[in-house]
Amino acid sequence: KGLVGRKGFSMCYDAMSGVNGPYAKAVLVDLLGCPPSSLQNCEPLPDFGGAASPSHGHADPNLKNAIELCNKMRVGPTGDALEGVDQAPTFGAAADGDGDRNMILGPGFFVTPSDSLAIIVDQAAQGLIPQFSKGVGGAARSMPTSGALDLVCSRRGIPLFETPTGWKFFGNLMDSGKYSPFVCGEESFGTGSDHVREKDGMWAVLCWLQIMAAHNGDPAKPLVSVGEIVEQHWKAYGRNYYARHDYEGIDTSKANEVMSTMISKEGTWAADAFAPFELEKQDVFSYTDPVDGSVTGNQGVRFALKGGSRIVFRLSGTGVAGATLRVYLEKYESSDGDLSRNAIKVVEPLGQVAKKVADIEGITGMKAPSVIT
């Protein structure tokens, strides 16, 4: 309440015409005291606004679809700052249609889901979020999510789990009761804790408001922004530059050929196959559940590169037609390196290597990704 009532603080919460609208009003306006003007698209609509809306009825909290919020926060489609940052609210957040996912923005600043997860855990481990006053009992991320969380857990001594994509794997860890209080998340904008056995977009937003409040205890001092909190984190841990290239609508047999061809080449790659990077390890991700011992195999092909970078390939059947080949690109930059570059541009050389080693164009005919996020 002290933060939202502070002079100079303003926020915009976009429910994207989904179910979180009434909850946003109850929590952010009625309980915390934010002005009603802080809410945007908070009347639930069965079509999320439909094709005529700025999001075209796609209630997904990302840079492509949450266009109204991004414009207000002066964040461009690649995460770069647009002109007029000084006119943007102090804090921005969005939810998806059913309210379980979230996006966090500062003025001209996009917080990646991977960074958001790592920062929440790091701040919680320092006692800055009351729910975690006794520390964090455990944390987990889906395998494709960046390694930013790993760096935090290693330094803070927090048990860490790398799971396949799918919230049920987090659920088993929560149900065990061994790692409570627990925090988990995915690169696809889902973040949660074991207060509920599901992702919780509003919870993540409240975590960020609490983090901001903890960094802004003295109203006489200049406001510490979302961007400054993230940049402080990078200076402490380094930055995991990250992006995802999606190749959509691929014939399923061709998509499987891409994966099987890479798997068959393990141990036989030419010395310069990954140039200018150097291959350290290749594997097919398999997960053994520490709770029930069940094994989930064939969860994606991983290439670990020297220096902490990696390329991950995973097939998804969530596309409109055919299969989607998701290519996750991650380049680690140490804390004394250049931490202020555009992530999509930084990982583009990795994207070119990925296209080459997977022979994506040769097998599928696709010359470029359908979507880059």
Side-chain angles (χ1 to χ4, degrees), residues 285-371:
F285 181 58
S286 178
Y287 176 69
T288 300
D289 194 303
V291 178
D292 61 19
S294 61
V295 178
T296 306
N298 198 29
Q299 292 298 300
V301 179
R302 302 187 295 184
F303 295 96
L305 309 174
K306 289 189 176 179
S309 299
R310 66 176 185 153
I311 302 171
V312 174
F313 296 83
R314 190 176 72 87
L315 292 183
S316 171
T318 58
V320 176
T324 296
L325 175 65
R326 302 198 192 280
V327 185
Y328 306 88
L329 310 167
E330 181 176 357
K331 185 178 187 300
Y332 178 71
E333 186 75 30
S334 63
S335 59
D336 58 354
D338 188 348
L339 306 175
S340 61
R341 301 170 64 195
N342 177 274
I344 289 175
K345 294 176 183 176
V346 168
V347 302
E348 177 56 28
L350 284 168
Q352 294 302 317
V353 170
K355 281 178 59 180
K356 181 180 67 173
V357 299
D359 193 18
I360 293 175
E361 183 176 350
I363 296 174
T364 71
M366 298 188 71
K367 296 180 181 295
S370 311
V371 180

Side-chain angles (χ1 to χ4, degrees), residues 111-123 139-142 145-146 148-149 152 160 167 170 183-187 190-192 203 208 233:
V111 184
T112 70
S114 295
D115 278 343
S116 178
L117 172 63
I119 291 167
I120 287 173
V121 171
D122 189 52
Q123 300 289 306
R141 63 169 176 84
S142 63
T145 302
S146 93
L149 177 63
V152 171
L160 171 69
W167 209 261
F170 297 148
V183 185
C184 51
E186 300 179 326
E187 51 79 31
T191 322
W203 173 86
W208 267 95
H233 184 86

Side-chain angles (χ1 to χ4, degrees), residues 119 122-123 155 215 224-238 335 339:
I119 291 167
D122 189 52
Q123 300 289 306
R155 183 176 298 182
H215 284 264
V224 179
S225 69
V226 169
E228 288 171 323
I229 291 169
V230 177
E231 288 166 353
Q232 288 172 12
H233 184 86
W234 292 340
K235 289 176 183 176
Y237 290 97
S335 59
L339 306 175

Side-chain angles (χ1 to χ4, degrees), residues 107-187:
F109 198 97
F110 167 57
V111 184
T112 70
S114 295
D115 278 343
S116 178
L117 172 63
I119 291 167
I120 287 173
V121 171
D122 189 52
Q123 300 289 306
Q126 298 177 65
L128 301 184
I129 301 174
Q131 178 184 348
F132 302 94
S133 59
K134 296 183 180 179
V136 179
R141 63 169 176 84
S142 63
M143 182 272 287
T145 302
S146 93
L149 177 63
D150 306 42
L151 300 173
V152 171
C153 290
S154 175
R155 183 176 298 182
R156 300 290 180 189
I158 299 169
L160 171 69
F161 302 91
E162 181 182 32
T163 75
T165 297
W167 209 261
K168 65 179 182 180
F169 298 102
F170 297 148
N172 265 12
L173 294 165
M174 293 179 187
D175 292 346
S176 74
K178 296 178 180 179
Y179 310 106
S180 186
F182 183 77
V183 185
C184 51
E186 300 179 326
E187 51 79 31

Side-chain angles (χ1 to χ4, degrees), residues 8-339:
F9 179 87
S10 58
M11 70 173 288
C12 179
Y13 182 85
D14 191 342
M16 300 194 75
S17 302
V19 300
N20 251 19
Y23 296 95
K25 181 181 183 301
V27 174
L28 300 176
V29 175
D30 298 343
L31 184 61
L32 295 184
C34 294
S37 59
S38 301
L39 306 184
Q40 179 172 281
N41 296 317
C42 280
E43 178 184 349
L45 299 173
D47 61 353
F48 307 122
S53 69
S55 67
H56 305 294
H58 297 294
D60 294 318
N62 55 42
L63 295 175
K64 178 182 179 182
N65 292 312
I67 188 66
E68 282 183 278
L69 177 66
C70 289
N71 284 340
K72 183 167 287 188
M73 297 301 300
R74 309 311 296 149
V75 175
T78 63
D80 282 332
L82 302 175
E83 292 184 4
V85 167
D86 58 335
Q87 302 300 312
T90 312
F91 179 80
D96 67 337
D98 61 358
D100 61 356
R101 289 185 289 142
N102 72 95
M103 178 172 69
I104 304 298
L105 301 174
F109 198 97
F110 167 57
V111 184
T112 70
S114 295
D115 278 343
S116 178
L117 172 63
I119 291 167
I120 287 173
V121 171
D122 189 52
Q123 300 289 306
Q126 298 177 65
L128 301 184
I129 301 174
Q131 178 184 348
F132 302 94
S133 59
K134 296 183 180 179
V136 179
R141 63 169 176 84
S142 63
M143 182 272 287
T145 302
S146 93
L149 177 63
D150 306 42
L151 300 173
V152 171
C153 290
S154 175
R155 183 176 298 182
R156 300 290 180 189
I158 299 169
L160 171 69
F161 302 91
E162 181 182 32
T163 75
T165 297
W167 209 261
K168 65 179 182 180
F169 298 102
F170 297 148
N172 265 12
L173 294 165
M174 293 179 187
D175 292 346
S176 74
K178 296 178 180 179
Y179 310 106
S180 186
F182 183 77
V183 185
C184 51
E186 300 179 326
E187 51 79 31
S188 52
F189 295 88
T191 322
S193 180
D194 56 354
H195 66 287
V196 63
R197 198 182 188 274
E198 189 46 270
K199 355 186 217 299
D200 187 345
M202 180 58 73
W203 173 86
V205 171
L206 291 173
C207 280
W208 267 95
L209 287 173
Q210 173 58 36
I211 289 167
M212 286 199 71
H215 284 264
N216 287 285
D218 186 349
K221 293 183 179 180
L223 190 78
V224 179
S225 69
V226 169
E228 288 171 323
I229 291 169
V230 177
E231 288 166 353
Q232 288 172 12
H233 184 86
W234 292 340
K235 289 176 183 176
Y237 290 97
R239 182 178 180 185
N240 296 72
Y241 284 104
Y242 184 89
R244 190 178 87 190
H245 290 189
D246 286 356
Y247 295 82
E248 298 177 340
I250 301 174
D251 178 84
T252 301
S253 64
K254 295 294 185 183
N256 287 330
E257 183 181 347
V258 170
M259 302 294 282
S260 62
T261 300
M262 286 188 292
I263 292 170
S264 70
K265 291 182 178 180
E266 183 177 356
T268 67
W269 297 102
D272 62 349
F274 292 80
F277 305 96
E278 187 175 349
L279 179 64
E280 188 170 75
K281 180 184 178 182
Q282 173 184 350
D283 68 2
V284 177
F285 181 58
S286 178
Y287 176 69
T288 300
D289 194 303
V291 178
D292 61 19
S294 61
V295 178
T296 306
N298 198 29
Q299 292 298 300
V301 179
R302 302 187 295 184
F303 295 96
L305 309 174
K306 289 189 176 179
S309 299
R310 66 176 185 153
I311 302 171
V312 174
F313 296 83
R314 190 176 72 87
L315 292 183
S316 171
T318 58
V320 176
T324 296
L325 175 65
R326 302 198 192 280
V327 185
Y328 306 88
L329 310 167
E330 181 176 357
K331 185 178 187 300
Y332 178 71
E333 186 75 30
S334 63
S335 59
D336 58 354
D338 188 348
L339 306 175

